[in-house]
Amino acid sequence: MSISFDEFSAHFSNEIREKTTFRGETTFLINPLEIERVCIFLKSKLGFTYLTDICGADRFTPEDRFEVVYNLFNPESKFRLRLKVWVNEENPVVQTVTSVWQSANWYERETYDMYGVIFKGHPDLRRMYMTEDFEYFPLRKEYPLVGVAGSIPLPEIDPKANNREAAERYNRGETV
């Protein structure tokens, strides 16, 4: 069963930047400041009552560097839909959708913690995995694979560690 997006496309013609379909999956690229209105419409009019996931991606492009992906599901028709928004590195702000789906709270916090995307209007936007004073975002592409040297105070080095010299250098803030 498929869903017709004619009414949706007509209603949000100014907010939809692009529509793609690949292997039967439809994706809309949406204006980031209009995502909440779009989601309200999709939930109330087209039955996408289940927000499966929100995740981020670092496109590592000069413009529209970050992507926020919303995976939606309509339980009646069994239809899946993907929404995407792109935001710049200088102003990575997206309107929250926590008023539409409560489950967005957790996913948006996770995306903020890993990519630094700010969800405007989020009721409790704080870090989940990293400490509040940690100034880096671990899933950005420029983030070093072994972490930022000296960025987190590490525990004392285990005397049985295999590479004690490298661990000591890392704790001093040197690149290992």
Side-chain angles (χ1 to χ4, degrees), residues 58-122:
D58 186 349
R59 302 174 64 239
F60 210 57
T61 56
E63 291 184 20
D64 297 326
R65 178 175 172 182
F66 300 107
E67 183 172 83
V68 180
V69 181
Y70 303 79
N71 292 303
L72 311 178
F73 183 67
N74 180 324
E76 284 186 28
S77 66
K78 311 291 186 224
F79 195 83
R80 295 183 184 277
L81 176 66
R82 183 177 303 115
L83 302 176
K84 292 182 177 183
V85 298
W86 290 348
V87 292
N88 287 322
E89 183 176 3
E90 297 80 31
N91 188 26
V93 178
V94 178
Q95 183 66 41
T96 184
V97 293
T98 53
S99 64
V100 184
W101 299 283
Q102 287 186 336
S103 61
N105 187 321
W106 188 269
Y107 302 135
E108 289 178 351
R109 281 184 58 195
E110 190 174 43
T111 302
Y112 164 70
D113 196 15
M114 295 292 112
Y115 293 97
V117 174
I118 298 167
F119 291 89
K120 183 178 175 186
H122 191 281

Side-chain angles (χ1 to χ4, degrees), residues 156-174:
E156 292 293 320
I157 297 168
D158 184 353
K160 298 177 206 161
N162 291 337
N163 195 343
R164 184 174 174 81
E165 179 189 346
E168 289 172 347
R169 286 181 29 228
Y170 185 83
N171 276 353
R172 286 193 305 264
E174 298 176 21

